[in-house]
Each structure stands twice: as structure tokens, then as C-alpha cells.
Amino acid sequence: MSSPFGASEHSRSTPRSSPSRQRLSDSRNGRVNRHRRVSRRDSSTNSNDSPSRQLWEEFGRVVLDDDRSFKRSLDVQTAEQERLHRIALDEALAHHEAVRQSAERARERVDLEIWRQQRRREEVERKTFEEQKRRLAAEEAEREEERLADARRTQEQRKQQEARKREKEDSERQAEEERQRLERDKAERSRKTAQEKEDADRKTREEAASRERELTKAQNPDPPPIQLQPKSNGVTSVTNSKAPAKEQQQPALASAVTSGLVSSAEQRKAVHQRYLTLWRRLKNFRTETEKQCKDAGFKNLGELKRSINTQVGMINKTDKVANKTYLTKIEAIFKQALTIPGPTVDIREYLPSADPATLAQATPADAQYPAILLYLLHQFAKRTIRQLIAEGGADTEVCDPIGIILVQVFARPDYQWREHSLIDLLWAKYHFLCPQLFGIRVQEGEGEEYFRRVTGLAAGFSAVTLRDFSKSRNRNPAPNTLWWESTARILNLSAAQTQMTHFVILKASITDFVPRILQLFGGAGKAVIKNAVTVFPGKAAKVVPKTPGEKAGMAPAVMALDSLSSTLLLKYGLSL
């Protein structure tokens, strides 16, 4: 069988022959022909062939016929084999083409998928880059805003410090001028006293004239001077036959505090312990609430707390419009806390000043209060006290706007429970830091830092408790009687019970609040101021000095209170 790829058309058309056939052919074509030629030549001599010759010729013809038949059969087989090979090659070529086309389609699908994946990857990278770019821009804007806020706050603090420094210098200058004036007045009074004594001795020697003048003086006595008369509740009142009717009228407020002033030391200590218990309970409550919010997935509690601290820290004594804005932002935080679903607490455990009967009537379900709001109110009270100590200790005028915001927040009915304010959160911290304000005698601290803290707390106490709610729809959460009770208890202390802290408290709670004291308490308020400034410093003789070698009556706190009368005269025109 020949290959269809290697055979030419000539080789396919010419049949192959074997050597035997070739020899047979040669013998037929040559020898036989030669024999024939010989035979023809010899035919004349031998006309009849032999039988063997005839047999040979017959055999040659048979062989030739067989050879031609074999070649024809071989050509037929070769042609059929070639046809089959061509069919197989065509099928293989078609199969190969189908495989090639399938491979091309698969390659195109793979290329398309690779292109799609590349597009998706590029899109993801583009979105990631844009998100990072937006985040970086937002962070940069936030940092810039914080930087500007810090710059504004620093500038405001610098202005306040400069203003306080100028005010302090002016106050010191005025105090020095007043001290010199008082010394001159004292020297003048001494000179006049000596002169009057000399005149009296001279008049005594004139017996007749003196006797006549004494009889005349006895028959026409002078009007009685203004006197301070102690009341049973520890409050002093002013009496004068020629005093105005407004000063002769005793405020109804004085009678409202009688029970508080005559309470025993044991009763005051029991109330003090209730507030200290609340202070400790609030520490545990703060930790538990933070844990509950963390477990519940509420992560904004810290942010709300920081926002309150920021707004409270920006309160100042010069910009009332800005202070209203800070108050609005603080109340917005509390209103947001009211809408946040979260844990609740039994509020009865956080109201030591509430009526026990009211607390007993409430069921546990009625006494539930939002824990997040209570947490934020507690943080607000803590932050304001920190602000009073930090800034009010150096400049007591800063305490007034802080007191306004404190009272307005705790007076809001939305944050109260059964019309009872939660201002006890503030008083609990006050009882821990300055129990002397509530008639509790404890071991007092020492040093400038301690007295600065007491100054800020006392001024803040007056700023909170000396507010006028006569025109407000809300109830005053810090009644004015609290200030009256605190001041009267200090003034009623004996000399042996007096501490340097009491002198600091009186000065800080009176200096910047004289107009409000006179507005709320009238003549009784003026009598209290006079008692605190002119009478109470005399009790300093028995106070144990904190500095070795220092006289009790010459302590800075005592001298500052003693010289307050001249400051009130210059600042308010109040003559005591």
C-alpha cells in the first residue's frame, strides 16, 4: 500500500511488477520474439512446431493473463485505500479545525474574563483611592477645625487671663489705696479721740457748766443707733426707728429655713452621709453604664461625654450670647439621650433629698429612669464643678454664668422625675469636696491649692443658690434657702468651732453676689453681710494658725474678709 502523501500521479497510474513477471515479460517479449523470428526463419525448413513449444507459448499466455488480472486487482485496492485515507484525512482535518475553533473560543472567553476581572480590580482600586482621599480630606478638615477651635480657645483664655490680671492689679491697687485711706482715717480718729479726751477733761474741770450740760443731755437723749439683734433661727435683722419700711420688713424667706438652722449636728451628719453614699453609688453606676453600653454596641457614649466637656469648658463671663449657644448644644445632647434606647435604673436610689413618702409610693416600674441620660447629667455636674475649681478659684466672676447654665439644665422638666430635679448629683460632689458649706465640721486642708478650690466651690454655690425664679415657669431646683442656711450656720459658729475655711467661704460667697443678696433678702441680707464682714472676723483669735509664727487674726483669709467692707463700698457703694 502506497502513501497518498508520497506517491505522484505517475506512480499511482503505473502498476508495480515483480521480478518474475519482469523476466516472464522479457522472455515473452525477447526470447519468444526471437524464437518467433527464428521460427519464422526456420518455418520453411520445419513447418510444424514441437508440442513443448506450443505448451510453453500457452503457459506464457496464461501467465500474462494472470499478471494483468493481478495488476488490475492491485490497482483497485490501491485506489480504494487512497479513497479511505483521504476520507480519514478530511475527517481528521475537520476535527482539528473544530478543536482549533473551540480552543479559540475558550481563549476568547478567558481573555474576556481576565479583562472583566481587571476592570473590576481597577474599579475597586479607584473607589478605595477615592474613599481614602475623602477620609483624608475629612480628617484634615477636622484637624483644621480643632486647631482653629484650640486657637480660639487659647486666645480667649489669654484674654481672660489678661483681664483677670488687670482686674487683680486694679483690685490690689484699690485695696492698697483703701488700706492707706483706712490708716489715715484711723490716725485721724486717734487724733480726734485724743483731742476729744482733752476737751472732756477741760470740761470736767468746769463743774457748774458741766453739771448743767449733763442735765440738759439727760433730758434730751439722742436717737438710738442701728443695732444687730440675733433671732432664734440664727439670722440677724436690722432695727432702726428711722429706717425705711423695706429694711424693717423681715423676708418670708428667713422663716422658711428655721427647721434647717435648728437641726442637730446628728441630723446634718445623717444628711451628709446620704449624699456621700450617693457619691459612691455614682462611681459604681458610671462604670456599670459604660460596660452595658459597650456590650450593647453603643459606641457614642464617650463622644457625647466629650461634647459636654467641650461646651462647659468654653463658658466665659464676657460673651452671654456664646454662653446661650453652649447651653443649647448641651441640652441638644440631653434630648438626644432621651431618644436612645438603652438600660434604665431605679431613680429613687439617686434622690436623697426627695420626700420619702413620694419615693415609697412609686413602684419599681414607675421609678425607672434612662441610664444614659443620668450618666450624662452626672458627667455634666462633675465637669461644671471642675470648671468652678479651675477658673472660679482664680476669678469668682466666672462662676455666675456657670451657675446660670447649671440651674437652667436641672430646672428642665424633661430631665426630672415626678417634678423632682436631679440636682442632687451636683450636691453629692459638693458634700464630698466642701462639707463646711452644709454645716459639717471636718479636718480642713492646707495650702494655696486647697483654699483656691474652696473659693471656686463657694462662689459656685452662691451662683447656683442665689437665682431669681420669680418670672420663670420652672421650679427652682436650688432654692435660695440653701444659701441662707449655709451662711447662717457659719455665722452662728462659736470662735472655737471656726476654721480658716469658713472665712474663705464667706468672702467668696458674698463678694460678687451682693446685689442679688439684697434683692432676694432685703434688709436681712444686708444685716448678714454686715455680720460676716465686721463681726465674724473677730472670731479668728481662737483659730489655730496653719503657718508657724503666724497670728490667727493676721491670716490672709481673715484679713481678706476683714477688708471686704472697703471693697463692697468701692464696688457697690454699700456702706456697712
Side-chain angles (χ1 to χ4, degrees):
M1 182 183 296
S2 61
S3 173
F5 299 99
S8 63
E9 188 67 27
H10 176 74
S11 62
R12 289 194 300 271
S13 61
T14 304
R16 295 177 184 177
S17 60
S18 63
S20 60
R21 289 197 299 251
Q22 188 67 34
R23 286 193 300 270
L24 181 60
S25 176
D26 290 342
S27 63
R28 286 199 302 267
N29 294 333
R31 290 188 296 272
V32 173
N33 290 337
R34 285 193 299 269
H35 178 74
R36 287 179 178 178
R37 286 192 295 268
V38 174
S39 296
R40 289 188 188 104
R41 286 193 301 265
D42 294 339
S43 62
S44 58
T45 59
N46 191 12
S47 60
N48 294 321
D49 293 331
S50 65
S52 61
R53 176 67 63 181
Q54 294 178 358
L55 183 61
W56 177 257
E57 289 178 356
E58 184 66 24
F59 178 74
R61 284 192 299 271
V62 172
V63 169
L64 288 175
D65 292 338
D66 291 340
D67 183 60
R68 282 193 295 269
S69 177
F70 175 76
K71 287 181 179 181
R72 284 194 299 271
S73 176
L74 187 61
D75 290 340
V76 172
Q77 292 178 0
T78 301
E80 181 64 20
Q81 188 67 29
E82 179 181 2
R83 185 182 67 80
L84 295 176
H85 282 186
R86 286 184 176 279
I87 293 175
L89 285 173
D90 292 339
E91 292 178 353
L93 183 61
H95 179 71
H96 175 73
E97 182 64 22
V99 171
R100 186 187 66 79
Q101 292 178 358
S102 176
E104 286 291 333
R105 289 193 297 272
R107 182 183 64 79
E108 291 176 357
R109 287 196 297 270
V110 171
D111 292 341
L112 180 60
E113 184 64 25
I114 292 174
W115 178 79
R116 289 176 178 173
Q117 291 180 357
Q118 184 177 0
R119 288 295 303 274
R120 286 195 295 269
R121 185 166 57 251
E122 291 175 354
E123 183 67 18
V124 171
E125 291 176 355
R126 185 184 63 80
K127 290 183 179 179
T128 303
F129 174 75
E130 292 179 354
E131 180 66 23
Q132 291 177 352
K133 187 176 179 181
R134 285 196 298 270
R135 188 182 301 110
L136 289 175
E139 292 177 355
E140 182 65 24
E142 185 177 357
R143 284 194 296 269
E144 181 65 19
E145 183 178 357
E146 291 179 355
R147 186 185 66 79
L148 293 176
D150 292 340
R152 288 194 298 269
R153 188 160 49 249
T154 302
Q155 184 178 5
E156 181 67 22
Q157 291 176 354
R158 184 171 61 254
K159 290 181 179 179
Q160 293 179 1
Q161 291 175 357
E162 292 176 355
R164 287 196 295 267
K165 184 178 180 181
R166 288 193 299 270
E167 292 175 359
K168 184 178 181 181
E169 292 175 352
D170 294 342
S171 178
E172 292 177 351
R173 179 178 54 78
Q174 293 175 0
E176 181 64 21
E177 292 176 355
E178 180 66 17
R179 186 184 64 79
Q180 294 177 0
R181 187 185 66 80
L182 291 175
E183 290 179 354
R184 290 194 299 270
D185 293 345
K186 185 177 181 180
E188 182 67 20
R189 286 196 300 269
S190 298
R191 187 186 62 79
K192 289 182 179 181
T193 301
Q195 184 66 32
E196 290 175 357
K197 184 177 180 180
E198 183 179 354
D199 294 341
D201 291 341
R202 188 176 62 253
K203 290 178 182 179
T204 302
R205 288 191 296 267
E206 299 175 357
E207 295 180 352
S210 177
R211 189 179 301 110
E212 184 178 358
R213 283 193 297 271
E214 288 177 359
L215 292 173
T216 304
K217 189 175 183 179
Q219 293 174 0
N220 300 285
D222 294 332
I226 298 176
Q227 299 178 354
L228 293 175
Q229 298 180 352
K231 296 291 182 179
S232 61
N233 57 5
V235 182
T236 57
S237 62
V238 180
T239 59
N240 191 333
S241 59
K242 296 181 180 181
K246 182 178 180 180
E247 293 186 359
Q248 290 180 348
Q249 183 180 3
Q250 179 71 24
L253 198 58
S255 63
V257 301
T258 304
S259 60
L261 294 175
V262 299
S263 60
S264 63
E266 289 74 14
Q267 291 174 333
R268 291 196 293 271
K269 287 181 180 179
V271 173
H272 178 63
Q273 288 301 323
R274 288 204 298 270
Y275 277 100
L276 291 182
T277 301
L278 173 60
W279 175 76
R280 289 189 290 268
R281 182 179 292 118
L282 286 170
K283 293 174 69 69
N284 297 330
F285 162 76
R286 184 172 66 250
T287 303
E288 292 175 359
T289 303
E290 291 173 353
K291 182 178 182 302
Q292 289 176 353
C293 290
K294 182 178 180 180
D295 295 341
F298 181 69
K299 302 179 180 179
N300 294 335
L301 188 63
E303 183 65 27
L304 296 176
K305 173 183 173 182
R306 285 188 292 271
S307 298
I308 291 176
N309 293 342
T310 300
Q311 300 306 320
V312 173
M314 298 175 70
I315 299 173
N316 60 85
K317 66 177 182 180
T318 57
D319 195 345
K320 294 183 179 180
V321 177
N323 290 340
K324 290 182 180 180
T325 303
Y326 305 146
L327 174 60
T328 302
K329 292 181 179 180
I330 291 172
E331 290 192 335
I333 295 173
F334 292 144
K335 291 179 181 178
Q336 179 183 353
L338 285 171
T339 62
I340 298 174
T344 59
V345 294
D346 191 337
I347 198 61
R348 294 176 295 181
E349 299 178 355
Y350 301 88
L351 298 175
S353 64
D355 182 16
T358 303
L359 298 179
Q361 292 174 358
T363 63
D366 296 336
Q368 294 305 305
Y369 191 86
I372 294 178
L373 178 59
L374 181 63
Y375 176 90
L376 294 177
L377 287 172
H378 177 221
Q379 293 299 327
F380 170 69
K382 285 180 54 182
R383 186 63 181 86
T384 51
I385 290 178
R386 195 179 306 125
Q387 189 80 355
L388 290 173
I389 295 174
E391 296 192 10
D395 182 8
T396 53
E397 291 184 1
V398 181
C399 299
D400 193 58
I402 298 177
I404 292 174
I405 291 180
L406 263 171
V407 173
Q408 289 185 353
V409 168
F410 283 108
R412 289 285 189 271
D414 295 340
Y415 316 140
Q416 297 179 357
W417 177 77
R418 290 192 174 185
E419 299 183 354
H420 190 89
S421 172
L422 271 69
I423 200 170
D424 286 343
L425 304 176
L426 179 73
W427 298 141
K429 189 71 172 178
Y430 255 93
H431 272 268
F432 175 73
L433 293 175
C434 191
Q436 291 92 337
L437 279 167
F438 306 96
I440 304 299
R441 179 178 171 84
V442 296
Q443 181 67 35
E444 63 179 346
E446 301 179 11
E448 181 180 356
E449 187 65 27
Y450 168 75
F451 289 111
R452 180 176 177 177
R453 184 184 74 184
V454 173
T455 299
L457 290 172
F461 184 81
S462 293
V464 173
T465 56
L466 290 177
R467 307 249 65 96
D468 184 7
F469 269 68
S470 59
K471 298 180 181 180
S472 176
R473 293 177 298 177
N474 298 328
R475 183 181 301 176
N476 189 353
N480 309 134
T481 54
L482 295 177
W483 184 90
W484 188 274
E485 290 177 5
S486 176
T487 305
R489 283 169 178 167
I490 294 177
L491 294 179
N492 289 336
L493 291 173
S494 63
Q497 296 174 326
T498 305
Q499 296 176 326
M500 286 297 172
T501 303
H502 296 125
F503 294 91
V504 177
I505 290 175
L506 288 176
K507 182 179 182 301
S509 60
I510 291 176
T511 303
D512 295 318
F513 305 96
V514 170
R516 194 157 296 122
I517 294 172
L518 297 179
Q519 175 189 356
L520 295 172
F521 302 108
K526 182 178 180 180
V528 169
I529 296 174
K530 183 175 182 179
N531 192 349
V533 174
T534 62
V535 178
F536 191 77
K539 299 181 181 182
K542 294 188 178 182
V543 178
V544 179
K546 294 296 181 182
T547 304
E550 179 184 63
K551 294 182 179 180
M554 299 299 292
V558 179
M559 294 181 64
L561 183 61
D562 191 26
S563 63
L564 185 59
S565 58
S566 58
T567 303
L568 300 182
L569 180 61
L570 292 173
K571 190 172 183 179
Y572 304 108
L574 179 64
S575 177
L576 301 176

